[in-house]
């Protein structure tokens, strides 16, 4: 079942078109990877999916994006609710300068959940889901800034999960991490897709091949090819895709 669909999606920053007429269907409970060279529009595309580009001055979007069949730019759309349903994890871990517990509880309190037992239950559940709970269960009131980079990124995933999203956008989530931490995040993604739809932007083609079910190759703002990951990497339909995945450019 399609979770997110785009129809003729284009994005402009001022007069510059950074995404060109993308038509794409993203399946529920799958991991979809978006690959391509730097500056090709991958992160801009990702930010379209939860309307984060609304925050960028002079940005303009044409075409449509549907979440569960509903237009996310429809007249009665609640943008806050869209961003709750479509959570985001950024390239560089960005924990708040608060305790581990308060980082995960932050969104819950904004939602108006005040009951301590309920907050604590969701914090623990989210840390378990992010694979971090065993490592920090006795240090929940320690500053998040004392965690390692990999732990901080899993904390940010826990923070995103706490508000119960349906889709998780991950923008180069492992680019700042060491190989061991990268492995933990990749392992975690495979577990999380049982409950969430995941879209990951990555420069790392080996990572896309390891973790994703579907892969889209973006080049100069255009979706050159989209297919099951195994097929795209072993038998690409487009010469441009083959050139990129074999390292002839990028």
């Amino acid at each position: 079942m399609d979770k997110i669909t785009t129809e003729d999606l284009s994005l402009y920053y001022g007069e510059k078109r950074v995404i060109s007429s993308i038509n794409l269907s993203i399946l529920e409970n799958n991991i979809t990877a978006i690959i391509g060279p730097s500056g090709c529009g991958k992160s801009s595309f990702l930010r379209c999916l939860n309307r984060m580009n609304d925050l960028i001055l002079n940005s303009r979007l044409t075409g449509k994006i549907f979440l569960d069949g509903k237009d996310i730019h429809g007249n009665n759309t609640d943008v806050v609710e869209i961003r709750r349903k479509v959570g985001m994890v950024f390239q560089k871990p960005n924990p708040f300068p608060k305790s581990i517990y308060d980082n995960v509880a932050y969104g819950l309190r904004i939602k108006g959940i005040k009951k301590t037992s309920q907050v604590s239950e969701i914090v623990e559940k989210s840390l378990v889901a992010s694979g971090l709970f065993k490592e920090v269960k006795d240090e929940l009131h320690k500053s998040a800034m004392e965690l390692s980079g990999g732990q901080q990124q899993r904390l940010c995933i826990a923070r995103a999960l706490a508000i119960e999203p349906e889709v998780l956008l991950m923008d180069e989530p492992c680019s700042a991490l060491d190989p061991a931490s990268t492995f933990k995040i990749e392992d975690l993604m495979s577990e999380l897709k049982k409950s969430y739809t995941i879209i990951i932007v990555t420069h790392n083609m080996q990572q896309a091949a390891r973790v994703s079910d579907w892969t889209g190759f973006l080049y100069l703002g255009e979706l050159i090819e989209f297919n099951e990951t195994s097929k795209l990497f072993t038998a690409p339909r487009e010469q441009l895709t083959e050139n990129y995945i074999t390292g002839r450019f990028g």
Side-chain angles (χ1 to χ4, degrees):
M1 181 177 166
D2 292 344
K3 187 67 179 176
I4 292 178
T5 308
T6 69
E7 291 182 1
D8 290 326
L9 178 66
S10 294
L11 176 70
Y12 300 80
Y13 293 147
E15 296 302 310
K16 184 182 179 186
R17 183 160 72 169
V18 291
I19 292 174
S20 303
S21 301
I22 291 182
N23 293 286
L24 187 59
S25 293
I26 290 166
L27 287 173
E28 192 170 30
N29 297 116
N30 276 240
I31 299 175
T32 300
I34 306 296
I35 63 170
S38 296
C40 70
K42 302 187 300 294
S43 294
S44 293
F45 171 73
L46 207 64
R47 289 195 300 266
C48 288
L49 303 181
N50 68 348
R51 293 189 54 173
M52 283 196 69
N53 286 317
D54 293 11
L55 307 172
I56 298 175
L57 199 63
N58 294 326
S59 72
R60 178 171 60 88
L61 185 143
T62 61
K64 295 197 169 178
I65 303 169
F66 298 95
L67 175 65
D68 292 325
K70 294 179 182 174
D71 185 353
I72 71 168
H73 292 89
N75 291 334
N76 298 318
T77 302
D78 181 344
V79 180
V80 173
E81 181 63 7
I82 290 293
R83 291 184 187 141
R84 184 198 68 75
K85 286 184 175 180
V86 186
M88 192 151 191
V89 176
F90 295 93
Q91 180 172 0
K92 190 168 182 241
N94 59 341
F96 303 137
K98 300 172 179 285
S99 70
I100 294 166
Y101 182 98
D102 286 337
N103 263 270
V104 185
Y106 183 81
L108 302 173
R109 289 169 176 151
I110 287 179
K111 274 177 73 179
I113 299 173
K114 298 284 197 301
K115 193 176 177 186
T116 303
S117 60
Q118 188 180 3
V119 170
S120 294
E121 183 182 333
I122 297 171
V123 166
E124 180 174 333
K125 181 181 167 188
S126 304
L127 287 167
V128 168
S130 73
L132 188 59
F133 184 69
K134 285 182 181 175
E135 295 166 43
V136 301
K137 63 182 179 180
D138 298 321
E139 304 176 307
L140 294 179
H141 298 288
K142 172 174 139 178
S143 170
M145 312 313 282
E146 294 178 43
L147 296 174
S148 70
Q151 288 176 321
Q152 286 185 2
Q153 191 65 300
R154 282 183 285 144
L155 177 65
C156 292
I157 292 170
R159 189 173 68 198
L161 297 180
I163 55 171
E164 299 182 316
E166 297 171 14
V167 179
L168 205 53
L169 309 177
M170 307 183 88
D171 190 0
E172 297 276 2
C174 302
S175 65
L177 305 182
D178 60 78
S181 296
T182 295
F183 175 76
K184 284 183 179 177
I185 299 283
E186 289 180 0
D187 208 34
L188 176 61
M189 281 192 275
S190 298
E191 190 63 30
L192 289 174
K193 79 171 182 179
K194 296 172 186 173
S195 305
Y196 306 91
T197 302
I198 298 173
I199 307 165
I200 176 174
V201 158
T202 180
H203 277 101
N204 186 328
M205 283 184 282
Q206 289 80 14
Q207 181 173 73
R210 283 193 300 265
V211 304
S212 68
D213 303 291
W214 296 81
T215 297
F217 169 49
L218 213 59
Y219 183 63
L220 298 179
E222 294 186 14
L223 184 65
I224 304 300
E225 186 167 349
F226 182 71
N227 207 340
E228 291 175 71
T229 297
S230 57
K231 291 178 181 175
L232 186 136
F233 279 102
T234 56
R237 292 190 296 253
E238 303 295 330
Q239 186 64 48
L240 203 55
T241 310
E242 183 169 340
N243 289 347
Y244 181 67
I245 63 177
T246 55
R248 288 180 199 153
F249 75 93

